[in-house]
Amino acid sequence: MKAVLTVIGKDKVGIIAAVSKVLSENNVNILDISQTIMQGMFTMIMLVRFNEPESDINVLSGKMSEIEKDMGLSIHIQNEEVFNSMHRI
């Protein structure tokens, strides 16, 4: 399964490292990544693939919430099909 992960918050050292570490620990592969800093605000969008059939997007979301709290970020992860349906014109 593929998913879209977004991260927004005040720029600080270690954001990409923290998010990537959780993804790696859960056997989730980064397929594509785009990140930029806009006037001190960090923004990132990742397309990821869950490599394990038993991987659960809700479990991963829970783990990302720890990073949100620790680093003052907003992190959202959504199934790619749901994301595409919501953003279809």
Side-chain angles (χ1 to χ4, degrees):
M1 171 187 69
K2 291 182 186 175
V4 176
L5 184 138
T6 60
V7 181
I8 300 171
K10 186 176 178 188
D11 186 37
K12 59 182 70 175
V13 173
I15 296 173
I16 296 173
V19 171
S20 297
K21 180 180 180 205
V22 170
L23 293 174
S24 175
E25 290 171 348
N26 289 275
N27 201 24
V28 177
N29 189 37
I30 300 169
L31 301 175
D32 201 355
I33 181 173
S34 174
Q35 69 88 32
T36 191
I37 299 165
M38 301 181 332
Q39 298 184 2
M41 293 298 290
F42 177 87
T43 63
M44 178 170 64
I45 300 173
M46 290 179 158
L47 178 62
V48 299
R49 175 181 288 130
F50 287 76
N51 292 322
E52 301 294 329
E54 66 274 2
S55 295
D56 186 341
I57 201 165
N58 294 321
V59 170
L60 187 63
S61 182
K63 292 179 181 182
M64 290 295 173
S65 70
E66 295 173 22
I67 297 172
E68 283 183 296
K69 292 175 190 169
D70 291 345
M71 301 189 84
L73 302 169
S74 174
I75 303 175
H76 297 282
I77 186 163
Q78 192 171 42
N79 182 300
E80 180 190 37
E81 292 175 9
V82 173
F83 181 87
N84 288 337
S85 294
M86 290 179 59
H87 296 91
R88 186 173 294 139
I89 297 178

